[in-house]
Amino acid sequence: MRADVNQQPSPTRNRLLSAFEFVSHHRQTILLVVVFVALFTFFSMTEKKFLTPRNITSMGFQLPEIGVLSLAMMITILTGGINLSVNATSNMAAVIAGLYLVKFVPKEASESQIWFALIIAMLIVLVVGLVSGLLNGFLIGYIRVPPILATLATMTFFTGISTGLTGGATVTGFPEQVAIIGSETFIGVPIPFIIFFVLTVLMYIILTRTSFGFKVRMLGTNPVAANFTGIDTQGVLLKVYALSGILSSITGVLIMGRTMSAAYEYGTTTYVLLTILIAVLAGVVPGFGSVVDVFIAVLILQVLSSGFTMQLAGIRGSSFFKDFAWGVLLILIFIINYLAKLRTSRG
């Protein structure tokens, strides 16, 4: 009888095992939270203006653009692919919607007419994103073009459409109501950040609580097994890239609302690379990755960007140092993840 009692694990040991399993399962999230808190604390202590309501609100307006694009990139990486056309899709959607507002909404239009036109413009944005995503999905899923080549081609194609429609010029002259989407707050919270947060929650639900999310991860983990289990891999890829296109086009609305303009070249030099950087920082690989980690990674990069911009204001080459800091952070995350995996495998 005493031997049976001794064989039962103690409550303390059970709690320790549960804690160890939790930390092991959420290692990437915990690491990102630690990095975020450390950076936020560092800049708060070294830069007086960092913690001001004005700066916090400013970050809330800036990060949603790259954040939503990162969600668009993440879902394609989960399937073992990539979408290099996310930024081009964003710009094209904004340009087409912007041209509609400029050419078909008269300056003497009433308030109700303007709001009706804005609804039509938003529908145009979503349709453009959907069509561009379906094109990518068709090329990758049905024509079997490698994702990097397919989306590189459509990136050039979409940029060409935007350039042709505008002649290389920036589209301006929107109704002032457009600024509400990208430059206003709701109970003190920037509306773009609310949109980003809502989309993050929706993506979390889709990827963790639906059969579609399971199929996406299955496809990324083992495409051959996914095909043998009866998963319509072509249909899944079509839906994945369609969703990526819609998310990309929503980013175009956020940019248009914040800048009150639309152009083919907005973010072309950095946004795609930043979305890939965020995905890597969040530990997103084919079949595995958390929307929560992507959200935290976006916050980290925004804190780095704002913090170094303040500290290095007026110093020549400050933008280079910011890029350098992003690279160092990414390398450190790689090393920490490698050591953690090595320790786990040995244990």
Side-chain angles (χ1 to χ4, degrees), residues 88 92 154-164 264 268:
M92 181 175 66
T154 55
M155 177 184 72
T156 306
F157 177 56
F158 298 154
T159 301
I161 292 176
S162 300
T163 307
Y264 76 92
T268 53

Side-chain angles (χ1 to χ4, degrees), residues 304-318:
L304 272 175
S305 178
S306 298
F308 280 124
T309 298
M310 286 184 172
Q311 292 198 332
L312 303 176
I315 299 178
R316 186 176 181 182
S318 59

Side-chain angles (χ1 to χ4, degrees), residues 27 31 334-346:
R27 182 181 60 237
L31 174 61
F334 280 147
I335 294 173
I336 293 172
N337 281 336
Y338 170 75
L339 293 176
K341 291 178 181 179
L342 188 64
R343 182 177 180 182
T344 301
S345 62
R346 287 179 177 177

Side-chain angles (χ1 to χ4, degrees), residues 59-237:
M59 288 193 291
F61 280 117
Q62 295 173 26
L63 69 87
E65 296 170 11
I66 190 65
V68 178
L69 273 188
S70 297
L71 294 176
M73 181 67 75
M74 173 201 179
I75 191 172
T76 62
I77 294 177
L78 284 177
T79 63
I82 196 171
N83 187 358
L84 299 179
S85 69
V86 288
N87 189 63
T89 301
S90 170
N91 288 336
M92 181 175 66
V95 163
I96 295 175
L99 289 174
Y100 164 76
L101 291 174
V102 170
K103 294 187 177 183
F104 295 98
V105 180
K107 294 183 179 180
E108 63 276 6
S110 64
E111 187 81 8
S112 59
Q113 288 177 322
I114 291 176
W115 281 109
F116 179 76
L118 286 177
I119 293 174
I120 298 300
M122 296 306 105
L123 291 176
I124 290 174
V125 164
L126 294 177
V127 170
V128 170
L130 175 63
V131 172
S132 63
L134 289 175
L135 176 58
N136 281 328
F138 176 75
L139 291 174
I140 296 167
Y142 291 87
I143 307 299
R144 303 293 184 181
V145 180
I148 192 170
L149 296 180
T151 57
L152 181 64
T154 55
M155 177 184 72
T156 306
F157 177 56
F158 298 154
T159 301
I161 292 176
S162 300
T163 307
L165 290 174
T166 62
T170 300
V171 182
T172 57
F174 307 144
E176 60 183 12
Q177 287 83 350
V178 173
I180 294 176
I181 300 173
S183 305
E184 297 294 331
T185 61
F186 178 72
I187 59 174
V189 182
I191 291 178
F193 184 82
I194 295 175
I195 294 173
F196 173 42
F197 181 79
V198 170
L199 290 174
T200 299
V201 173
L202 289 176
M203 286 293 292
Y204 176 83
I205 294 172
I206 290 173
L207 292 175
T208 61
R209 297 291 187 269
T210 67
S211 60
F212 172 70
F214 171 79
K215 293 175 182 177
V216 168
R217 294 181 182 278
M218 184 68 179
L219 180 59
T221 305
N222 194 327
V224 177
N227 194 34
F228 276 106
T229 56
I231 294 177
D232 179 11
T233 56
Q234 294 176 324
V236 171
L237 287 173

